[in-house]
Amino acid sequence: MTFLLFAGASAASTGAAAQASPERLQGAWATNAATCDQVFTKRSGRLVFNKQSIEGWSGFIATGKHIRSPNASCDVISSKQKGDVLSFLLGCENEIIFETVSVSVRFKPDGGLVRFDPEFPEVETPYHRCDG
């Protein structure tokens, strides 16, 4: 179930760390910008998951300290920032299990972000912001 990312930690105020401000994560994100309208739908002025969006890794929505995908819901337990990397400890659950997950993200110059495991930094999952 290893879910995904982060939400509202405090950001450093200078240098590259300021560029990686956690507030930048808020909103809806999809693994492919071209599929935003397949993963999300607009309801009451907000993006929510499309009912047909069953792929757990196709996207996520970050609101405050809460992150959810179509198949899981996570809350930020703790976070830290080192350079341009934001790392989070998440408490995640779905209908079957609860687990604690460690996740790291880095913002890209084009406004997207990548999720990766620091132990295997060469394996990245890109995400693109979906505008509401």
Side-chain angles (χ1 to χ4, degrees), residues 2-13:
T2 304
F3 181 36
L4 177 278
L5 315 175
F6 129 80
S10 62
S13 60

Side-chain angles (χ1 to χ4, degrees), residues 10 16 34-35 42 51 99 104 117 130:
S10 62
T35 63
K42 201 168 205 176
K51 290 187 191 257
E99 72 177 321
S104 293
D117 181 336
C130 297

Side-chain angles (χ1 to χ4, degrees), residues 53-118:
S53 180
I54 57 173
E55 289 185 48
W57 313 120
S58 61
F60 68 93
I61 299 173
T63 308
K65 290 189 173 193
H66 186 74
I67 301 169
R68 60 188 192 281
S69 76
N71 299 323
S73 179
C74 299
D75 290 308
V76 175
I77 296 170
S78 65
S79 62
K80 64 182 175 179
Q81 184 163 349
K82 185 174 183 181
D84 65 344
V85 175
L86 296 170
S87 297
F88 304 93
L89 184 61
L90 303 175
C92 299
E93 62 183 62
N94 64 22
E95 295 85 29
I96 301 171
I97 136 181
F98 176 85
E99 72 177 321
T100 303
V101 178
S102 179
V103 176
S104 293
V105 299
R106 182 178 11 353
F107 288 97
K108 300 186 320 186
D110 67 1
L113 63 87
V114 291
R115 174 184 61 127
F116 64 96
D117 181 336

Side-chain angles (χ1 to χ4, degrees), residues 12-74:
S13 60
T14 62
Q19 296 294 324
S21 171
E23 288 75 26
R24 291 176 59 192
L25 185 66
Q26 301 300 295
W29 297 80
T31 55
N32 185 333
T35 63
C36 283
D37 59 350
Q38 296 169 1
V39 176
F40 304 104
T41 189
K42 201 168 205 176
R43 190 175 309 141
S44 300
R46 298 179 336 154
L47 288 177
V48 296
F49 288 104
N50 191 339
K51 290 187 191 257
Q52 289 77 32
S53 180
I54 57 173
E55 289 185 48
W57 313 120
S58 61
F60 68 93
I61 299 173
T63 308
K65 290 189 173 193
H66 186 74
I67 301 169
R68 60 188 192 281
S69 76
N71 299 323
S73 179
C74 299

Side-chain angles (χ1 to χ4, degrees), residues 109-130:
D110 67 1
L113 63 87
V114 291
R115 174 184 61 127
F116 64 96
D117 181 336
E119 293 186 32
F120 301 97
E122 65 279 2
V123 179
E124 298 180 336
T125 302
Y127 285 90
H128 305 272
R129 183 181 300 277
C130 297

